[in-house]
Amino acid sequence: PAGAAAGRSRRLPRAAVWTAAALILVLVASAGAAYGYYRSLQGDIVRHDLDSALDEKDRPEKIGDDLNILFIGSDGREGGNADYGGRDFVGERSDALMLAHISTDGRVTVVNFPRDSLVGLPECAPYGETEGTPAYHGMINAALFHGGPPCVVKTVESLTGIRIDHFAHLTFVGFREMVDAIGGVQMCIPKPLHDKRAKLDLDAGRQRLNGEEALSFVRARYEIGNGGDIGRIDRQQMFLGALADEVADSDLLAQPGQATGMLRALSEHTGTDDEFTLPTMVSIASTLAGTELSEIAFYTVPWQRAPLNANRVVWDERAAARLFSAVRHDRRVDDRMLVTGEQDAEGSDGGDGANGDGANGDGAGGTGDTEGAATEPSASPATAEPPAEPIKGRDATSTPCANGLGQGTQSSEETGEPQM
């Protein structure tokens, strides 16, 4: 695995070339046509005023110059999204939820939050067409349903203690069209994959996934592995690594059609906070220009099966607090390791960060900086805590053919991950 990683550990000099097209449009804004096009792109993005929707006194303090961007993948069924699950679906929930932490030196740490997590949801005010909610204990993906993106931001901040700088709210159609805009993503599929519910039908081997196939791949769960969400997160992380690799290989500025298509898909199918503008995206992208694939690390919040519901998970408070503290203070997550195929085959690939520390968290942990309690032994040997288990993850050099398909950890019948 180390050799394979070294072979693909290269920089991303073009990791944000597609966003540079927006900068060009800004620079030539004096030209009427270009200015008009840029304004239309900006105008198409749905904007959310976080400052008005959230109470500043309830938010975590901003620490340092690093950035935390929350990505919300919506399962709403309005418009084109109705093709992915029925038109009688009411409201929307977060089908995927991940936090991208961008360090000032260009390192990227991505933390996935399992949609089946039972957590302490905070009180959220009505927002847009949502009705709001009092605080209660429920699934993390319901925050979007109750209070829109601001409620999701508030939920993640309250659970992690990490200040969210920006967010992007993306639909199924937006994801599909952005993948198509760059000409698809090259992936190696280790065995045939079929999932009727996700409309997934892939042969084994190295192949280029178009937008529809990529969307089916990242959504599939019921007929792959043990049908759980953790395994699906593993595969989503592998796809994102392949996407980063694809963008590194492409030269979008030399192909204006691709850059334009990417920008159009982004603007037409994405909602963001007011300050997450196209020029801001360009600035962030320039920070990532020198990032190596091996410096893009993926983790999933450490979890355990919920004691009272085998189809849900709760967070391992002790391990989750260590993960959140590292992100909050812009430190590398300790014990990061590349997942190996052997580990994946044994059902303990570690991509979800589960480590069995023994804490039955209710999902509300992690708001305080408890890293000291998690890593420092007690003064009394009799009451000393056991050494902290590694928080295992993967980086963007991890591929399904080399490192396993991503079945999720704890996949035995006795300790398997939730099936729904």
Side-chain angles (χ1 to χ4, degrees):
R8 300 183 65 237
S9 178
R10 51 188 178 76
R11 295 190 178 277
L12 297 172
R14 306 183 186 92
V17 174
W18 66 268
T19 52
L23 180 59
I24 291 176
L25 291 173
V26 175
L27 295 176
V28 298
S30 57
Y35 180 71
Y37 181 65
Y38 170 72
R39 287 291 299 273
S40 70
L41 288 176
Q42 287 280 68
D44 286 340
I45 299 177
V46 176
R47 299 293 185 188
H48 300 269
D49 187 353
L50 282 182
D51 290 338
S52 297
L54 301 179
D55 192 333
E56 180 61 31
K57 67 179 178 61
D58 295 330
R59 304 190 66 188
E61 178 186 1
K62 172 66 178 176
I63 303 176
D65 295 326
D66 49 287
L67 285 175
N68 297 301
I69 304 174
L70 187 65
F71 290 92
I72 307 167
S74 168
D75 66 359
R77 298 303 196 271
E78 294 183 357
N81 268 17
D83 295 335
Y84 301 101
R87 298 179 184 275
D88 57 348
F89 188 89
V90 178
E92 61 177 338
R93 293 160 182 80
S94 52
D95 197 55
L97 187 62
M98 64 186 72
L99 175 65
H101 172 79
I102 303 175
S103 299
T104 53
D105 60 2
R107 288 182 296 109
V108 180
T109 303
V110 179
V111 178
N112 284 79
F113 301 88
R115 67 183 297 278
D116 295 329
S117 300
L118 291 175
V119 301
L121 292 163
E123 178 181 2
C124 289
Y127 185 83
E129 298 181 357
T130 69
E131 299 180 354
T133 183
Y136 76 103
H137 194 257
M139 284 179 63
I140 195 170
N141 72 338
L144 186 62
F145 173 81
H146 291 306
C151 186
V152 182
V153 171
K154 183 176 183 179
T155 298
V156 172
E157 288 188 339
S158 68
L159 294 171
T160 66
I162 298 169
R163 174 77 173 219
I164 304 301
D165 299 292
H166 301 294
F167 76 84
H169 177 206
L170 184 66
T171 65
F172 292 153
V173 175
F175 176 89
R176 181 192 70 197
E177 294 193 1
M178 281 194 284
V179 171
D180 279 337
I182 64 172
V185 174
Q186 189 83 244
M187 286 199 75
C188 184
I189 306 299
K191 62 183 180 180
L193 297 180
H194 307 286
D195 189 319
K196 290 182 179 179
R197 295 182 64 167
K199 300 179 181 179
L200 178 67
D201 188 10
L202 296 177
D203 294 328
R206 191 164 181 80
Q207 57 200 285
R208 181 168 294 278
L209 305 187
N210 62 29
E212 195 70 41
E213 292 168 332
L215 180 60
S216 295
F217 180 79
V218 299
R219 292 187 63 228
R221 64 182 291 189
Y222 293 101
E223 298 175 41
I224 301 178
N226 62 12
D229 186 49
I230 305 299
R232 176 169 64 171
I233 289 176
D234 290 349
R235 295 186 291 275
Q236 289 172 349
Q237 292 173 346
M238 290 179 183
F239 177 83
L240 291 175
L243 177 61
D245 196 8
E246 188 72 40
V247 175
D249 280 340
S250 66
D251 191 348
L252 296 181
L253 280 183
Q255 305 176 59
Q258 287 189 355
T260 300
M262 174 69 86
L263 289 169
R264 186 181 299 115
L266 177 71
S267 63
E268 291 180 355
H269 302 287
T270 304
T272 70
D273 57 279
D274 280 340
E275 297 180 1
F276 201 22
T277 62
L278 291 179
T280 300
M281 295 177 192
V282 172
S283 176
I284 294 172
S286 66
T287 302
L288 301 177
T291 300
E292 296 183 354
L293 292 176
S294 60
E295 287 295 276
I296 303 175
F298 297 97
Y299 299 90
T300 300
V301 176
W303 60 276
Q304 299 170 352
R305 290 178 66 170
L308 302 180
N309 188 338
N311 290 321
R312 299 290 179 262
V313 303
V314 293
W315 295 354
D316 183 322
E317 288 189 357
R318 183 167 175 247
R322 289 166 49 213
L323 175 62
F324 300 151
S325 179
V327 172
R328 183 165 54 250
H329 296 288
D330 195 26
R331 293 194 295 264
R332 291 181 182 272
V333 179
D334 57 345
D335 299 311
R336 178 164 71 89
M337 62 179 292
L338 179 66
V339 177
T340 68
E342 180 181 359
Q343 289 171 312
D344 194 273
E346 293 174 353
S348 58
D349 64 13
D352 61 2
N355 58 33
D357 277 326
N360 290 321
D362 62 2
T367 55
D369 187 358
T370 59
E371 185 184 36
T375 58
E376 295 296 331
S378 167
S380 170
T383 60
E385 299 223 10
E389 294 286 338
I391 299 177
K392 301 176 184 178
R394 60 166 49 83
D395 61 34
T397 69
S398 180
T399 70
C401 285
N403 306 105
L405 185 60
Q407 307 292 342
T409 61
Q410 299 179 324
S411 58
S412 70
E413 185 175 324
E414 180 177 328
T415 61
E417 63 163 302
Q419 307 297 302
M420 297 180 63

